[in-house]
Structure formats: structure tokens, C-alpha cells
Amino acid sequence: MGEDASDSYPLPGEAGSHHFPLIQVIEGASAVHVRAVIPGATLFSVNLTFAAGRLVIRGALPAPEGVPLRRERPTGPFRRDIVIPCPVVSEEASAVMRNGVLTVTLPKERRK
């Protein structure tokens, strides 16, 4: 039995769905770390915003050239809204992208 584009495994949603990218939110002692798996993206192709206790990750993944024989990775625009569970200093946030994994570090507010 051959595989074609219709034989692909179902995705949790297209890139634009609320299921992409897959994330982890980890609260450490001094910061909240958000990790998002975005294969094919670069740090420059992703837009990050923070407002009202929410981190928003958005961007777009280009479709590969050629005729798809099997498609399991999403393409197109995506957006993911993540509620951050504690007060953070968004002005001191940092982001790195390594091997398709975006890591955003949001330092927690220091208690007085």
C-alpha cells in the first residue's frame, strides 16, 4: 500500500491551530522558561509579544517546494498564547532558538 498526502497521520491541528507549536512552561526559582518546538523556524521568523500576563508566539512556516508525498509537519501561519503563572519582568526577557526549539526566559519579579 503506497503512501500519498492523504495517508499522512492526523495533526493536532494546522499550524494556525491552538495546538501548534507544542510547548512546555517551567517555573524555576528566578524565571519562567517557555520552550516551543518550531521545526523550520528561525528566531527572526518568530514574533514574541508579552502583555497582560500572556506570552504570544506567532510566525509562519513556509511550505516545502515540490509535491508532498506525506505531510506530518504543519506549514503556514501560527499563533500560540501562553498564560504566564506569575509576575515577570518582561523588559528583561530573552529568547534563543536552537535546533528548532525556541526558549523564552522571563525573569520573575523580585519580591521586596
Side-chain angles (χ1 to χ4, degrees):
M1 178 183 215
E3 291 183 10
D4 62 20
S6 64
D7 289 334
S8 64
Y9 295 132
L11 292 168
E14 293 302 306
S17 82
H18 63 278
H19 296 289
F20 185 87
L22 298 176
I23 62 164
Q24 286 184 323
V25 179
I26 300 163
E27 184 177 357
S30 61
V32 174
H33 305 279
V34 178
R35 292 189 182 99
V37 179
I38 315 172
T42 67
L43 191 55
F44 301 106
S45 67
V46 175
N47 180 281
L48 303 171
T49 56
F50 185 84
R54 291 181 180 269
L55 174 66
V56 178
I57 302 171
R58 75 182 98 195
L61 295 174
E65 293 184 24
V67 178
L69 300 176
R70 184 176 183 111
R71 187 174 77 77
E72 296 181 12
R73 287 177 43 183
T75 59
F78 62 87
R79 177 185 169 133
R80 190 74 194 260
D81 292 40
I82 303 137
V83 174
I84 302 303
C86 60
V88 296
V89 184
S90 61
E91 297 82 19
E92 296 178 14
S94 63
V96 296
M97 177 77 80
R98 287 196 184 103
N99 299 321
V101 177
L102 171 69
T103 301
V104 179
T105 300
L106 298 157
K108 292 167 77 173
E109 280 188 3
R110 292 156 194 88
R111 296 187 184 216
K112 295 177 182 181

